[in-house]
Amino acid sequence: MRRELFKIRVGIVGTGTIARGLARLISKRKDMEVSYILTRRKGIIPDLGVSQELITQSIQQVLEHSDILVVSTGDPIYSTAIIDLAFQYGVKVVTMDADTQVLSGTWLSSRGQITEAEGDQPGCLAALREEALQMGFTPLVYGNIKGFLNHNPGFDDMTFWAKKQGFTVNSVTSFTDGTKLQIEQALVANAFGANIAQRGLIGEKTDNLEAGAFHLATIASAQNKVLSDYIISPTAPPGVFLVGTHHNDLAAGLKTYKMGDGPHYLLYKHTHLCYFEIPKTILKFYHTDKVLIDNGRFPTVSVATVAKKRIAAGTLIEKGIGSMEVRGEAMEIAEEPSHVPIGLMSKVHFTRTVEPGQVVTFDDVEINESLAYKAWQETLLQEEKTF
């Protein structure tokens, strides 16, 4: 009798673009299957590629029938609570949720097995870093490639692009105003013990990927730091890059293979394919427990809430990430320990008026209690011990 192929049972949290794409992709594989999909939405959810019977609002049902959980919600407060519960069931967690990693990932990593996935920029940079290290390169810059940036886009434009691209308005706004980018590079910095050059990062503008990347490397060398940063280039591929150095006695070999004269060498991945790459991480993490990338044990970089415009006392912000009122900027935690991480800005009341460009602090707002808030407070206490 032919033995049935073992399949990894994958539970999915979320029904946005990433989750829907992953569900369709897994439905076509022979080595894994979707167990259940957790959602907070009501009614039929199209484009999942699996039976609607697998959609549930019961996290217990998902966890009882899953070998591994993939979380991609864009809501770090919700995700933190779900992941913590998964650990209580002994279920490993793969995230495509840098927002959650930067806010509560350090705390979560102390409670269970969790890794960010390959596919989004941090995971792709982690994979590129592994390759670079195996080839003997010493990383100097971990870079994200951004084609366009507008710190304060209009609602009508964001609505147009959301419909055109199939994302939510919040998601498109967080892409456009740089919040998602800042979160990604904060995660990269914390994961690899790198630094940032300044609040909000440098964001080298260039029409030439190599020239822009090498300029960041020159800054990194001058500051004697390894930097996490990005370039803005409408002509560069939508991927990630790494600038490294190498041993001088191997420079001739690198030149032979068209890597240039040094001392800086550019390695890059020209795509990041989001949910198409998540199964690679699922397989590796399930079989080896090897973490691709997480927020590190002692994070030094956070993503602060910065006002896009004047916000009057009494204002309620439903969601900070992707809002019209605030955006996120990477900053060293030690620079302003009382800043409010952008991931905590959910249904937040302002108790004081803040001005455009001002970093929002806990003195300016009333933050709702949540497990994510507790996780941040405990992470901050741990970080203060290292200052």
Side-chain angles (χ1 to χ4, degrees):
M1 180 181 238
R2 186 174 179 182
R3 185 179 177 183
E4 186 176 348
L5 178 69
F6 168 78
K7 292 186 177 183
I8 300 172
R9 299 174 303 166
V10 180
I12 299 175
V13 180
T15 48
T17 301
I18 300 299
R20 293 199 308 272
L22 179 63
R24 293 196 301 273
L25 185 63
I26 289 177
S27 71
K28 302 180 185 302
R29 297 180 65 106
K30 296 181 179 180
D31 54 354
M32 57 184 72
E33 63 185 4
V34 176
S35 57
Y36 284 98
I37 300 173
L38 182 69
T39 186
R40 292 176 286 180
R41 301 187 192 188
K42 305 287 186 180
I44 300 296
I45 300 175
D47 301 326
L48 286 171
V50 298
S51 170
Q52 293 288 312
E53 294 179 357
L54 297 183
I55 301 172
T56 180
Q57 293 188 334
S58 169
I59 180 58
Q60 288 78 14
Q61 187 176 35
V62 177
L63 295 174
E64 287 171 358
H65 296 88
S66 300
D67 300 308
I68 201 162
L69 191 70
V70 177
V71 178
S72 179
T73 71
D75 182 345
I77 294 176
Y78 172 67
S79 292
T80 299
I82 293 296
I83 293 167
D84 185 64
L85 188 58
F87 293 157
Q88 296 176 38
Y89 278 74
V91 176
K92 300 176 183 180
V93 176
V94 171
T95 61
M96 184 160 282
D97 220 339
D99 320 44
T100 301
Q101 287 279 356
V102 172
L103 177 63
S104 56
T106 295
W107 184 84
L108 288 167
S109 292
S110 69
R111 299 174 68 82
Q113 294 176 284
I114 181 172
T115 183
E116 180 80 349
E118 194 169 347
D120 222 353
Q121 285 92 335
C124 289
L125 269 170
L128 185 60
R129 175 179 181 269
E130 286 185 0
E131 294 180 9
L133 292 175
Q134 290 299 323
M135 291 187 287
F137 291 98
T138 299
L140 191 58
V141 177
Y142 298 107
N144 202 323
I145 302 172
K146 185 79 173 171
F148 175 77
L149 189 65
N150 179 358
H151 283 154
N152 196 8
F155 180 75
D156 289 344
D157 282 346
M158 295 299 92
T159 301
F160 169 81
W161 286 108
K163 291 179 179 179
K164 184 178 179 65
Q165 297 176 340
F167 291 101
T168 65
V169 174
N170 281 115
S171 292
V172 171
T173 304
S174 72
F175 304 158
T176 303
D177 70 11
T179 297
K180 184 174 183 291
L181 166 73
Q182 299 283 322
I183 290 170
E184 290 165 349
Q185 294 313 105
L187 173 56
V188 169
N190 290 333
F192 305 135
N195 305 102
I196 60 173
Q198 62 190 43
R199 190 185 107 189
L201 311 180
I202 295 171
E204 181 73 14
K205 295 179 180 179
T206 180
D207 289 327
N208 184 292
L209 169 60
E210 184 176 74
F214 284 178
H215 187 248
L216 288 175
T218 299
I219 295 172
S221 296
Q223 294 187 2
N224 195 28
K225 294 177 178 179
V226 177
L227 293 182
S228 175
D229 216 291
Y230 69 102
I231 66 167
I232 300 176
S233 175
T235 60
V240 296
F241 68 90
L242 182 153
V243 179
T245 58
H246 213 294
H247 299 288
N248 289 336
D249 60 343
L250 290 170
L254 289 170
K255 186 173 183 179
T256 297
Y257 293 114
K258 313 301 181 186
M259 291 294 291
D261 296 324
H264 300 145
Y265 299 97
L266 174 67
L267 303 172
Y268 68 94
K269 184 176 186 291
H270 70 283
T271 59
H272 70 95
L273 300 180
C274 294
Y275 57 82
F276 286 98
E277 300 186 67
I278 294 177
K280 289 188 288 183
T281 304
I282 292 173
L283 284 173
K284 184 176 290 187
F285 198 47
Y286 178 80
H287 289 295
T288 71
D289 296 337
K290 183 180 179 182
V291 173
L292 175 68
I293 178 172
D294 63 18
N295 201 51
R297 291 184 59 198
F298 302 103
T300 60
V301 180
S302 176
V303 180
T305 304
V306 175
K308 290 181 177 179
K309 60 185 181 182
R310 189 174 189 271
I311 304 174
T315 299
L316 171 68
I317 290 186
E318 287 289 333
K319 183 179 181 182
I321 297 175
S323 80
M324 295 293 112
E325 294 83 11
V326 297
R327 61 184 176 85
E329 277 194 2
M331 69 180 299
E332 292 183 356
I333 297 172
E335 181 182 339
E336 180 53 270
S338 65
H339 76 273
V340 180
I342 189 74
L344 285 178
M345 294 292 292
S346 178
K347 300 186 186 308
V348 171
H349 278 96
F350 276 75
T351 57
R352 300 197 303 198
T353 298
V354 299
E355 301 298 331
Q358 183 176 333
V359 172
V360 178
T361 70
F362 285 101
D363 292 331
D364 301 319
V365 296
E366 291 179 349
I367 297 290
N368 296 310
E369 291 297 327
S370 66
L371 190 62
Y373 186 19
K374 175 187 175 183
W376 173 253
Q377 290 175 311
E378 293 189 11
T379 300
L380 192 61
L381 285 173
Q382 174 182 291
E383 184 62 25
E384 286 174 350
K385 296 176 182 178
T386 68
F387 289 165

